[in-house]
Amino acid sequence: MGQAELTKIKTMVGDYRQFKLKFIQFVKHCQQLARENNLPEIAVDEIRGNAATWLVMDRSVMVRFGLVLAPDGTFRGRIDFDLPPGPGSDLPMTVFSLYFDRKGNMLESASDAFSNRRIIDEHDVPYILHRFLHKFLQHLT
């Protein structure tokens, strides 16, 4: 393996680490929001690997983190909010996905480039949770 490949590997691992830290901050802010505002209908569990299990209105929701490649060749973080597989299905149903850049700015898609909301800002987390809950309730009906 050449030095160029090793450098690329280190860069990708470093990117993953940096994006995962933002995901962890987001989950911590969600935990804090639910606790401080007495929202027992939203129970945010600890992160295990790249995922956390939440209990939202008596339904289990898997919140998973990953990276996606943007059209410009840079990475974006992606957080999927998934319901468990339903009857006759082996795949979870994604009810909401959000993307974020290296600075933690929330993006509408992997190709989006700007946002004034940040997943790591405790003041923006209620907005993000509201968007998730809106999509969540749409999938229940």
Side-chain angles (χ1 to χ4, degrees):
M1 177 183 302
Q3 187 61 36
E5 289 83 8
L6 185 58
T7 301
K8 288 178 184 177
I9 291 169
K10 287 180 179 181
T11 299
M12 285 191 269
V13 170
D15 285 347
Y16 180 81
R17 186 179 303 122
Q18 186 177 24
F19 279 94
K20 187 174 178 185
L21 287 174
K22 302 243 182 312
F23 170 67
I24 292 168
Q25 284 179 287
F26 169 70
V27 172
K28 296 287 184 193
H29 284 312
C30 292
Q31 286 173 323
Q32 179 182 356
L33 176 79
R35 185 177 51 250
E36 289 178 358
N37 291 284
N38 193 25
L39 300 173
E41 294 78 18
I42 302 173
V44 179
D45 227 358
E46 293 298 318
I47 298 169
R48 290 181 180 83
N50 70 332
T53 303
W54 294 10
L55 192 62
V56 180
M57 297 178 192
D58 300 323
R59 297 280 309 263
S60 179
V61 176
M62 179 64 67
V63 181
R64 294 179 301 117
F65 161 75
L67 289 182
V68 294
L69 195 58
D72 65 1
T74 61
F75 286 109
R76 300 281 194 264
R78 177 177 168 165
I79 301 173
D80 291 321
F81 297 79
D82 298 333
L83 293 175
S89 176
D90 294 332
L91 300 173
M93 178 178 26
T94 302
V95 296
F96 181 62
S97 293
L98 68 89
Y99 300 84
F100 59 98
D101 63 13
R102 189 175 305 282
K103 294 178 182 176
N105 294 318
M106 186 183 104
L107 307 171
E108 297 297 325
S109 70
S111 60
D112 200 7
F114 175 77
S115 174
N116 61 352
R117 303 273 184 194
R118 301 185 72 208
I119 69 165
I120 58 173
D121 185 330
E122 64 184 280
H123 299 98
D124 290 337
V125 168
Y127 170 81
I128 296 166
L129 280 180
H130 174 262
R131 290 199 49 209
F132 156 67
L133 288 171
H134 182 74
K135 296 284 186 178
F136 175 80
L137 291 172
Q138 284 178 334
H139 277 82
L140 296 182
T141 58

